[in-house]
Amino acid sequence: ISELREILNDIKANGVKESVLENAKKAKILSIKRNAQNAPFWISNLLGHKLYEFPIYNEIEYEKSINSITNDDIKEILKVVDTGNFFTAILNPKN
């Protein structure tokens, strides 16, 4: 947990390496493209649209949105993350 705190605090102050950010964007876009080839993705997408008025997935708009993320955006979001409060959950304990 202390190492995670250090990483988050460093990103808050300095952002991430541009190469890391670009790789993360590429991975997210690839992941959503793969998911969009499956029926559960579309069922969830249509339900979100009907129930909560979320926009229906549009590949081009999604890529533009992901690619528009900057280091400043990441630092801004991390301002609301409280790096002092973490908890550990054991979801599958071995008995």
Side-chain angles (χ1 to χ4, degrees):
I1 291 175
S2 63
E3 192 174 330
L4 178 59
R5 252 188 215 112
E6 287 176 27
I7 292 168
L8 289 173
N9 286 330
D10 182 54
I11 293 171
K12 273 184 187 183
N14 306 310
V16 295
K17 291 181 184 175
E18 202 58 41
S19 62
V20 171
L21 180 57
E22 290 307 312
N23 286 338
K25 289 177 186 182
K26 288 176 188 174
K28 186 63 181 166
I29 290 169
L30 181 60
S31 173
I32 198 77
K33 283 183 180 182
R34 285 184 183 150
N35 286 336
Q37 295 175 9
N38 299 309
F41 170 87
W42 288 104
I43 292 169
S44 175
N45 195 266
L46 293 171
L47 281 172
H49 176 69
K50 269 305 219 189
L51 296 173
Y52 307 109
E53 299 180 9
F54 293 158
I56 293 177
Y57 171 71
N58 175 303
E59 185 175 317
I60 294 168
E61 291 302 316
Y62 184 83
E63 283 189 42
K64 282 182 190 175
S65 179
I66 293 296
N67 285 323
S68 72
I69 296 171
T70 66
N71 255 317
D72 289 337
D73 296 328
I74 294 168
K75 289 192 274 187
E76 190 66 31
I77 288 170
L78 284 175
K79 286 181 182 177
V80 298
V81 174
D82 183 358
T83 57
N85 289 318
F86 285 99
F87 70 94
T88 303
I90 300 172
L91 302 177
N92 191 10
K94 294 178 182 180
N95 293 326

